[in-house]
Amino acid sequence: MIDILLLLIIVACAIAAVSIKDLLSAIMILGVYSFIMATIFTRLNAVDVAFTEASVGAGITSVLMIAALSRTKRYEYLYTKSERRKPSALFLKVLSLFIVIITGAVLVYGTLDMPEFGDPDAPANKHVSPRYIEESHHETGVNNFVTAVLASYRGYDTLGETTVIFTAGICVILLLRKFKKDDDDRYAGICY
Amino acid sequence: MIDVIHFIQTKFYYLVVIFLMMIGLYTTIASRNLIKKVIGINIFQISVFLFYIAMAKVKHGTAPILWDKAVIYDNPLPHVLILTAIVVSVSTTAVALALIINIYKEYETIEEDSILAKQELDEEESILAKQKLDIDRSNMA
């Protein structure tokens, strides 16, 4: 019962986050969305993922977004009625809705073949994971299977993940650094 | 009819995931505000995480941590994948937001329509400037 309630709350949060015009409120609701998702992860016994989602997904994403918002505008541009009724705007809305509905229908068609929720005989639960569940404690000495796979068997994967964060950090620094010295001849190439 | 009810009963997690994904996708396509687009991408990403975690659940399974009384464990491998994916999603969000800040510095707006209008204006100005330069050069010659 609580699962269905949480899923309803999360759908409400998603709709609220995309429909609200104040971007700061939208970011707050996105944080709530992430936290409720962390609760659902806990209900589904994915405790490590819930930790990470609550700290990294809800915390850092909200902080980054509010930091970005402090350097841009807080309120979304309110289109007037005549601007919203323009054929080009209307066409764009209908086209995107059409694309989204088609994609959703294809995805629902794809779930017809999926194994049922919580099915112990699903191929994903039968093939590779029993080996890790049975052997990882003897091989690595770690009680938590997720940690054992993440840090031991797939240690290089985690190294790659660190590389991704490092690259993203360098990108952000390069994009946001200030040009002070050559401020005058920055536009030298454009001016004739 | 019974088939439909059975389908919804056994796969409601997947259906909710698809609904959330479509909300995110629609926002990413249709919203004209760049930060709203990033919010849409985030909703999309987090719903995909829920899809993987829902696949990992086994009926009556316990959390994948060694326990004497456990009969059956959940599948730990999707959890590992999603741990990596969460961090990667935050990195992509950071880069997207940095790009948006740069766009705001350049155009002083984060609305797509205004950005496109300003770009057209700039192009016209540059073409005019070039024509003027050509005329000056021909006069000099």
Side-chain angles (χ1 to χ4, degrees):
Chain A
M1 195 61 217
I2 192 160
D3 294 329
I4 295 165
L5 205 67
L6 284 169
L7 288 174
L8 279 178
I9 294 172
I10 209 162
V11 169
C13 279
I15 292 171
V18 301
S19 59
I20 209 158
K21 289 290 170 195
D22 183 356
L23 289 174
L24 186 63
S25 310
I27 291 165
M28 293 292 179
I29 295 171
L30 188 71
V32 173
Y33 175 87
S34 292
F35 264 115
I36 306 265
M37 195 57 102
T39 318
I40 293 178
F41 289 163
T42 319
R43 277 290 301 167
L44 293 173
N45 283 344
V47 274
D48 306 76
V49 185
F51 271 121
T52 317
E53 178 63 36
S55 60
V56 179
I60 296 180
T61 308
S62 304
V63 169
L64 284 174
M65 282 197 165
I66 291 171
L69 203 64
S70 70
R71 288 170 176 226
T72 55
K73 273 189 187 137
R74 178 172 166 180
Y75 291 97
E76 205 175 344
Y77 178 70
L78 267 178
Y79 290 97
T80 55
K81 235 178 192 176
S82 59
E83 273 178 321
R84 260 182 286 157
R85 296 255 170 92
K86 263 197 300 190
S88 61
L90 225 57
F91 175 71
L92 189 90
K93 221 167 207 180
V94 170
L95 186 71
S96 46
L97 205 63
F98 179 73
I99 291 171
V100 163
I101 287 172
I102 292 284
T103 317
V106 170
L107 285 173
V108 170
Y109 178 69
T111 48
L112 288 175
D113 285 346
M114 292 269 303
E116 287 176 9
F117 173 71
D119 184 8
D121 296 325
N125 301 332
K126 274 278 165 204
H127 183 49
V128 187
S129 62
R131 198 237 170 238
Y132 283 107
I133 288 170
E134 280 155 20
E135 300 293 329
S136 70
H137 183 63
H138 305 297
E139 288 178 357
T140 62
V142 182
N143 284 336
N144 188 337
F145 305 136
V146 177
T147 317
V149 177
L150 187 78
S152 184
Y153 294 103
R154 295 225 157 254
Y156 282 113
D157 235 13
T158 310
L159 184 70
E161 177 193 330
T162 320
T163 317
V164 169
I165 304 167
F166 182 66
T167 317
I170 290 176
C171 281
V172 171
I173 291 170
L174 285 177
L175 283 168
L176 293 185
R177 80 181 158 166
K178 283 182 179 137
F179 298 93
K180 269 186 183 164
K181 265 187 184 170
D182 49 0
D183 209 29
D184 289 327
D185 43 356
R186 231 177 98 199
Y187 298 105
I190 302 168
C191 298
Y192 291 97
Chain B
M1 194 63 205
I2 293 165
D3 282 355
V4 173
I5 291 171
H6 185 252
F7 174 68
I8 292 171
Q9 252 179 354
T10 51
K11 290 169 189 175
F12 61 98
Y13 263 100
Y14 305 140
L15 296 177
V16 171
V17 163
I18 289 168
F19 189 66
L20 290 174
M21 269 168 93
M22 290 311 110
I23 290 173
L25 188 64
Y26 178 75
T27 318
T28 315
I29 299 171
S31 175
R32 315 296 290 159
N33 186 299
L34 293 178
I35 287 190
K36 251 322 177 26
K37 275 181 195 283
V38 175
I39 289 175
I41 293 172
N42 255 300
I43 289 175
F44 192 98
Q45 283 171 332
I46 295 173
S47 68
V48 174
F49 301 160
L50 179 61
F51 177 66
Y52 270 68
I53 299 298
M55 272 203 299
K57 183 82 180 96
V58 177
K59 215 174 235 172
H60 306 302
T62 53
I65 299 169
L66 198 67
W67 188 33
D68 304 335
K69 294 170 192 164
V71 181
I72 186 165
Y73 293 109
D74 288 341
N75 189 351
L77 296 180
H79 297 187
V80 178
L81 289 177
I82 294 311
L83 274 179
T84 311
I86 287 174
V87 176
V88 171
S89 87
V90 171
S91 328
T92 52
T93 308
V95 175
L97 289 171
L99 282 171
I100 288 172
I101 291 173
N102 261 15
I103 287 169
Y104 185 77
K105 271 186 200 160
E106 190 73 29
Y107 294 102
E108 289 178 353
T109 176
I110 48 171
E111 302 286 335
E112 249 183 16
D113 297 331
S114 322
I115 292 169
L116 288 174
K118 282 195 179 177
Q119 268 181 346
E120 273 176 22
L121 215 69
D122 283 356
E123 266 174 32
E124 276 172 19
E125 268 178 15
S126 71
I127 288 168
L128 279 179
K130 212 175 177 185
Q131 279 173 352
K132 204 181 164 196
L133 197 79
D134 288 346
I135 293 166
D136 286 353
R137 273 184 188 156
S138 61
N139 284 347
M140 266 154 71

